[in-house]
Amino acid sequence: MKILENYPKEVKVFLLASLINSTGSSLMWPLTTMFVFDELGRNMADAGLVILIQAVGGIIGQLLGGSLYHRVGVKKLIVGSLALNAIGLFALPVISQYWYFYMALMGFIGFCNALSLPAIQAFIGFRFADRRGELFNIIYVANNIGVALGTALSGFLADISYKLTFIANGLTSVIFAFFFLNYLNRLNKEQGEVHLDKKTTSATEESVWGLLSNTRIYLYLGLGSMFILLGNSIWNSGVSPFIISEGIPKKAYGFLWTLNGVLIFVAQPMISLLKRWLARTSSSQMTMSAVFYLLAYIVILLTHNYTGMVLAMILATIGEMLISPAIPSFISDHAGRSAPFYIGLSGGVGAVGKVIGPYAMGVLYDGGGLVPVAWLASGTAVIGVIFFVIHAIQNRADKYGEESTVI
């Protein structure tokens, strides 16, 4: 993208490292169910339990990662969590034969992987404060390119060995850890507000309870994200079994996600126009995102066919492209030094939807097929719109982008 020409070399290297890490991370998640069912010989309930444990570990990691940013320091937090994640991945080929240890290790991997996320996002917000909104969006695109590459490679690696995916994922985590270690060691600490160590913590820093009381920053944003993510479970727990039950080729489901990845890259000019004309602030982008998700689920509810699902995926992808960079951008703009805490908190609250959604929709699908699942997704999108509207109203004083910090 031409926009990269305006950024220094360190940003381009960061994007490359981020792409490599996201490629490695996405190698494993499509194969977790297959590994448990095929390689370990367990049933689908056991596979769902593993995914649940990993998701819960991720929620805890998000919450803790934001709280530890200033207490531990960005270098120890990011590099340490990536290194621990790599150790867990390298241990999987040995541990996987012991079922309960395997489940515990998957929870540990989910925890370590999520532990670094709010720290990385907060660091970007501090380091590149003048253009953080643009950079969050570029990194989001780069990560999704990595996801597309990783999911494509995962099938080939699985044909060779499931355990090879664990090792490949661990290697990319090691590469990302070494990148950050080298990058942060070389970074000039006087160049911008980067909060590299614990010394940056001021005596006036609020307690956790004090930060939690400022609900304007995180509460309705987090709840809106939670309901959006809950509804988005329709793709795995509604659309996927519907395609199988209708006798549609399974590759058609894969095409939907290929379409998602392609759109995230090629539809950036359209998203830029939407932001310029209709959603100039981060808060309005979140609200518009929820509206697009709602439209997607309504299409699924009304059409009940594959063509409708393609259109729904296009609408949902637009919603995804609007919300994903908007949340860390808003928090970085409005939360000041407390941004790491709020990024982790909002991410943890939002991730609850990923835990609840698959089970709730699975039960509904078993009872009535795609229709009740689509109704639930539409309902959660409506609730998401309401929460994001409340969030926008509470922060309307910053309508034109004035910075409002929480010290």
Side-chain angles (χ1 to χ4, degrees):
M1 289 182 286
K2 290 183 178 180
I3 193 171
L4 287 180
E5 298 175 0
N6 301 322
Y7 282 98
K9 182 180 178 181
E10 66 171 306
V11 173
K12 299 174 184 177
V13 175
F14 184 92
L15 288 174
L16 177 61
S18 182
L19 187 148
I20 292 172
N21 184 62
S22 64
T23 300
S25 297
S26 60
L27 284 174
M28 194 173 69
W29 70 262
L31 299 177
T32 299
T33 300
M34 293 174 62
F35 176 75
V36 173
F37 184 74
D38 183 30
E39 185 81 1
L40 301 184
R42 313 290 297 199
N43 57 33
M44 291 300 292
D46 288 337
L49 179 61
V50 171
I51 294 173
L52 173 63
I53 291 172
Q54 188 175 11
V56 171
I59 293 173
I60 298 171
Q62 287 253 31
L63 295 172
L64 189 60
S67 301
L68 292 177
Y69 187 95
H70 291 298
R71 291 176 172 83
V72 174
V74 64
K75 185 191 302 183
K76 291 180 180 178
L77 184 57
I78 294 178
V79 176
S81 59
L82 289 171
L84 288 173
N85 185 58
I87 291 172
L89 289 164
F90 289 142
L92 269 180
V94 178
I95 296 297
S96 60
Q97 58 184 311
Y98 306 104
W99 175 243
Y100 292 106
F101 287 110
Y102 169 74
M103 288 194 296
L105 189 56
M106 288 297 287
F108 175 77
I109 289 170
F111 169 79
C112 293
N113 187 52
L115 192 64
S116 64
L117 295 179
I120 292 173
Q121 289 183 325
F123 173 76
I124 294 167
F126 289 136
R127 173 67 176 154
F128 308 103
D130 56 335
R131 303 179 70 177
R132 58 169 67 110
E134 285 182 8
L135 193 55
F136 277 128
N137 189 63
I138 295 171
I139 290 173
Y140 164 70
V141 174
N143 284 339
N144 276 277
I145 293 173
V147 169
L149 291 173
T151 51
L153 289 171
S154 62
F156 295 102
L157 291 175
D159 283 338
I160 302 172
S161 170
Y162 282 110
K163 295 176 181 179
L164 184 60
T165 63
F166 306 154
I167 296 172
N169 192 352
L171 287 174
T172 58
S173 189
V174 168
I175 291 171
F176 206 35
F178 272 110
F179 161 76
F180 262 107
L181 181 62
N182 181 64
Y183 176 62
L184 296 175
N185 281 336
R186 294 175 58 187
L187 188 63
N188 183 355
K189 296 186 180 183
E190 301 300 323
Q191 189 177 4
E193 186 184 13
V194 293
H195 300 307
L196 290 179
D197 51 45
K198 293 187 289 184
K199 296 178 182 178
T200 59
T201 305
S202 67
T204 60
E205 186 174 356
E206 289 190 53
S207 67
V208 171
W209 290 113
L211 293 171
L212 287 174
S213 67
N214 193 1
T215 57
R216 177 178 66 88
I217 295 292
Y218 73 92
L219 181 59
Y220 297 107
L221 179 157
L223 290 173
S225 301
M226 182 183 73
F227 280 98
I228 290 298
L229 290 173
L230 195 161
N232 210 39
S233 298
I234 190 173
W235 297 105
N236 290 323
S237 302
V239 171
S240 175
F242 177 82
I243 285 176
I244 294 172
S245 65
E246 292 294 305
I248 301 172
K250 294 182 180 66
K251 62 183 179 182
Y253 181 67
F255 172 77
L256 292 175
W257 291 109
T258 302
L259 177 63
N260 172 266
V262 170
L263 283 173
I264 287 171
F265 184 71
V266 303
Q268 286 298 316
M270 183 188 70
I271 297 300
S272 297
L273 290 177
L274 283 175
K275 290 179 180 179
R276 188 179 308 160
W277 293 344
L278 300 175
R280 298 182 63 183
T281 66
S282 298
S283 296
S284 60
Q285 288 160 25
M286 295 175 212
T287 305
M288 180 174 285
S289 166
V291 171
F292 272 102
Y293 275 114
L294 174 59
L295 293 174
Y297 305 146
I298 289 175
V299 169
I300 294 175
L301 182 62
L302 296 178
T303 58
H304 301 147
N305 58 49
Y306 185 72
T307 302
M309 291 173 182
V310 172
L311 175 58
M313 177 58 82
I314 293 172
L315 293 169
T317 301
I318 295 173
E320 178 189 345
M321 294 166 72
L322 285 168
I323 196 172
S324 293
I327 291 177
S329 180
F330 171 85
I331 294 175
S332 297
D333 285 340
H334 295 77
R337 283 179 45 78
S338 303
F341 175 83
Y342 289 117
I343 288 174
L345 180 60
S346 62
V349 172
V352 172
K354 288 184 178 181
V355 175
I356 299 173
Y359 178 76
M361 291 190 173
V363 171
L364 285 177
Y365 189 90
D366 288 341
L370 184 62
V371 173
V373 173
W375 272 114
L376 175 60
S378 300
T380 58
V382 170
I383 297 172
V385 171
I386 293 171
F387 278 130
F388 285 134
V389 168
I390 295 173
H391 170 80
I393 291 172
Q394 285 197 329
N395 292 276
R396 65 184 179 276
D398 303 306
K399 180 178 179 181
Y400 298 103
E402 298 93 333
E403 185 177 4
S404 172
T405 59
V406 179
I407 304 298

